[in-house]
Amino acid sequence: MATKLPIGGGKSPYAAFSRQSSAGTLNRSLDVSPCSSNTILAQSVTFDLNPNATTFIPSRFVEHGYFPPPAYTPEAWLHILDSGMLASNPSLPPLLVQFGPWSSEKLRDLAQLFCWEILAKANIVDFGPEAALFARDVRDNFKIHHSEWVSSCFVAHLQKAVLEHFNSFWCSLDNPDVISQRKKLETKRWNVALEISCFIADLFSFSLIDASIMHECLGILLYEMVSVQHVRVVQSMVKRAGPTLWQTADSHERRQEFIRHFMDRTSKLPDNSSLTGREKIIRKAIEADDIIALINGWHARRSEYRSPAVKSIWGSSGLNM
């Protein structure tokens, strides 16, 4: 097996490309406060908000969560995200972004708070695409009421945060706690891992993360695949991300390569490969969500492009995939 190298720069065992997303690499320094706004947004709300409130940590979140909240977490932010990430409410994004000025540090904490809500509540509620839709609306309101840089800075921090959390569950590089065959997977932890993975796919569907991050996540799952849980999260991410990933100019090669690796990896899994002991056998799990047929259908409806020559992104030479 090839030597494992860090993700995000140079060569990776998961993908034969360098990820060039904007995550963590902005045109302006993230250490500089981008703007100051005195804009007052007239909003009607059903609860009092204090932007200077101290950190609010509900005990039910701590009980079910695996990660602490960001150091700077005003109660007002939590109230807004509590509602906005579960149901669409157009009054909440402009209400949230009025708590400026927004420094890079505050934008980083807000991005982490989006992830923390997913991690903390995964065993309490089922998140749908509304969580990513809310993040998109927050991004758009940052652009409207502050600046393009504030908006892009928030997105960059969000991209970095979700990938870090994804890697903490699925990537074995220097990670003793990765989901693997070494120990039984607790149902609570599985729910959290699945929810953060689906959140990434939803963010892609709303154009908040780049295709390269989706490629990297799917590449990690294909490389690390040892269980029916890995199969399920690949299937869920493909379905939640939607057709866009398979309708680009290079999608013909991407599709063929992904299907080849997916079929190869799943064919090597034994039927008793569940890490929780509660899942369907592997063949039934694959048949239940026929993502290959779904991908082929999406690809067939793509615009006509001239297919360029592309390098592998689902695996690289020297890998036992």
Side-chain angles (χ1 to χ4, degrees):
M1 183 176 294
T3 301
K4 293 183 176 180
L5 300 172
I7 290 178
K11 296 182 179 178
S12 163
Y14 306 109
F17 71 110
S18 296
R19 180 164 57 85
Q20 299 297 330
S21 74
S22 60
T25 54
L26 298 175
N27 291 332
R28 290 177 56 181
S29 170
L30 292 180
D31 296 327
V32 180
S33 177
C35 64
S36 176
S37 172
N38 295 320
T39 302
I40 303 298
L41 303 178
Q43 299 290 338
S44 60
V45 295
T46 57
F47 44 78
D48 295 329
L49 297 175
N50 178 7
N52 299 314
T54 57
T55 301
F56 174 67
I57 309 176
S59 60
R60 63 188 176 94
F61 290 176
V62 176
E63 177 185 354
H64 292 278
Y66 284 85
F67 299 88
Y72 178 76
T73 310
E75 184 176 356
W77 292 12
L78 280 168
H79 277 308
I80 294 173
L81 267 68
D82 275 352
S83 300
M85 291 180 67
L86 292 175
S88 178
N89 184 338
S91 69
L92 293 181
L95 184 63
L96 178 61
V97 305
Q98 76 172 346
F99 297 132
W102 288 93
S103 66
S104 174
E105 290 74 18
K106 287 180 68 175
L107 292 166
R108 178 200 60 212
D109 288 342
L110 180 61
Q112 282 285 4
L113 188 60
F114 271 86
C115 297
W116 186 76
E117 286 273 328
I118 300 288
L119 299 168
K121 292 184 178 180
N123 287 284
I124 303 173
V125 298
D126 292 326
F127 284 94
E130 290 79 12
L133 175 61
F134 181 65
R136 186 197 68 179
D137 291 344
V138 170
R139 176 203 65 184
D140 293 346
N141 274 270
F142 273 134
K143 183 176 180 179
I144 293 169
H145 299 291
H146 292 278
S147 71
E148 176 68 39
W149 186 82
V150 174
S151 176
S152 64
C153 182
F154 167 69
V155 171
H157 282 305
L158 187 60
Q159 290 180 352
K160 185 175 186 292
V162 294
L163 187 57
E164 287 177 348
H165 288 303
F166 179 89
N167 288 343
S168 73
F169 289 107
W170 301 113
C171 177
S172 63
L173 298 183
D174 301 320
N175 182 7
D177 298 319
V178 67
I179 293 175
S180 70
Q181 293 173 316
R182 289 195 296 271
K183 61 182 179 179
K184 184 177 179 180
L185 176 62
E186 295 181 358
T187 301
K188 283 186 176 181
R189 188 162 189 254
W190 159 238
N191 290 338
V192 175
L194 179 62
E195 286 287 358
I196 197 68
S197 302
C198 288
F199 182 51
I200 289 176
D202 289 335
L203 290 174
F204 171 78
S205 73
F206 287 110
S207 302
L208 268 81
I209 66 171
D210 300 332
S212 60
I213 295 180
M214 276 296 298
H215 291 154
E216 183 165 345
C217 291
L218 291 175
I220 288 171
L221 291 167
L222 289 175
Y223 181 77
E224 302 279 4
M225 187 174 285
V226 294
S227 71
V228 67
Q229 281 72 39
H230 288 81
V231 175
R232 279 196 59 196
V233 75
V234 168
Q235 293 171 321
S236 297
M237 291 187 74
V238 167
K239 290 166 63 179
R240 296 278 281 264
T244 307
L245 197 64
W246 314 100
Q247 296 179 334
T248 58
D250 59 2
S251 62
H252 182 68
E253 290 79 7
R254 303 300 192 209
R255 174 183 62 98
Q256 287 185 322
E257 198 173 25
F258 173 83
I259 290 174
R260 176 170 61 84
H261 283 301
F262 181 75
M263 294 179 66
D264 176 65
R265 299 298 284 175
T266 55
S267 68
K268 296 175 181 177
L269 296 177
D271 278 340
N272 61 346
S273 61
S274 175
L275 300 179
T276 63
R278 298 182 179 182
E279 300 296 324
K280 299 176 182 178
I281 62 175
I282 188 67
R283 306 306 153 214
K284 290 184 178 179
I286 294 172
E287 293 170 0
D289 290 307
D290 191 353
I291 61 169
I292 293 178
L294 194 62
I295 290 170
N296 286 336
W298 285 334
H299 179 71
R301 295 194 297 270
R302 75 195 187 286
S303 300
E304 289 299 324
Y305 294 101
R306 180 180 178 182
S307 297
V310 297
K311 294 182 179 179
S312 169
I313 60 172
W314 308 116
S316 60
S317 59
L319 283 181
N320 296 321
M321 289 191 67

